[in-house]
Amino acid sequence: MRQIGDAMNRAVTNLLRLDAELLRLANRINLRPVLGRFFARISRLGDGVAWYALMAILPLLYGAHGLATSLLMISAGVPCTLLYAALKKGARRPRPFITLEAIHTTVPPLDEFSFPSGHTMHAFAFTWTALHGVPGFAPLLVPFALLVALSRMVLGLHYLSDVLVGALLGSLVAAVAIAWIG
């Protein structure tokens, strides 16, 4: 039994090391001023600005169908917010720029902890629910959601594992919202 525990500890240690190295690699992009500003703006839009604007515009463009799509987006966004808050409070994983050397961040975090990425969770939940109602927005929303996720690592605010779990949870919440309401 002890051998299994030792092997698992080594595996977890190696995964955490890989997580940190991938973050360092992504964070190098932030050292280029133009790219750093680009990803800071993407991240800022992912704070909610872009999503709220989309929810406001959809009813204007598509009437009742657009309103239903916006309400579906909200029905995914609320559980994401609750889930995100509970997981952050429970996991209490420090932000990478706090625990790792040479991580360069240019934007302040919205909260203290890193796991999971709430920006990514919401980006994926909002993207999938919006595309359920308006599939033609895919060429705009899918790249934007991916850029929001990448921005969180580039800016030194999240590890890859934070982003991947955020994307998975956001996708799952969207799937439940679509199955239940959509």
Side-chain angles (χ1 to χ4, degrees):
M1 275 308 233
R2 183 170 183 199
Q3 291 173 334
I4 293 172
D6 290 344
M8 288 184 67
N9 284 338
R10 281 192 303 276
V12 167
T13 299
N14 288 337
L15 284 173
L16 291 173
R17 189 175 297 129
L18 177 63
D19 210 11
E21 288 308 313
L22 290 172
L23 168 76
R24 284 186 178 101
L25 184 65
N27 187 243
R28 287 185 195 162
I29 295 169
N30 202 27
L31 296 176
R32 298 184 179 266
V34 171
L35 293 175
R37 285 191 300 274
F38 170 76
F39 281 104
R41 286 186 182 110
I42 291 291
S43 183
R44 178 66 181 119
L45 288 171
D47 283 352
V49 175
W51 305 117
Y52 303 143
L54 179 60
M55 287 180 228
I57 290 170
L58 286 174
L60 299 175
L61 294 176
Y62 300 101
H65 180 72
L67 178 60
T69 300
S70 295
L71 292 173
L72 181 62
M73 291 174 70
I74 292 167
S75 75
V78 170
C80 277
T81 300
L82 298 173
L83 182 59
Y84 147 87
L87 289 172
K88 289 243 183 189
K89 185 178 179 182
R92 303 179 64 83
R93 184 181 197 186
R95 299 271 182 183
F97 71 87
I98 293 171
T99 58
L100 297 176
E101 292 181 26
I103 297 299
H104 179 70
T105 189
T106 54
V107 298
L110 296 179
D111 57 45
E112 184 179 0
F113 299 113
S114 157
F115 182 86
S117 169
H119 277 74
T120 304
M121 187 185 302
H122 283 91
F124 276 71
F126 289 145
T127 294
W128 295 130
T129 52
L131 293 181
H132 178 73
V134 189
F137 277 42
L140 176 67
L141 295 182
V142 171
F144 179 67
L146 293 171
L147 284 170
V148 168
L150 180 60
S151 78
R152 307 310 287 164
M153 292 177 57
V154 168
L155 297 172
L157 298 169
H158 288 284
Y159 295 94
L160 176 61
S161 57
D162 301 336
V163 169
L164 291 175
V165 170
L168 175 65
L169 291 173
S171 298
L172 288 172
V173 168
V176 169
I178 290 165
W180 185 49
I181 297 171

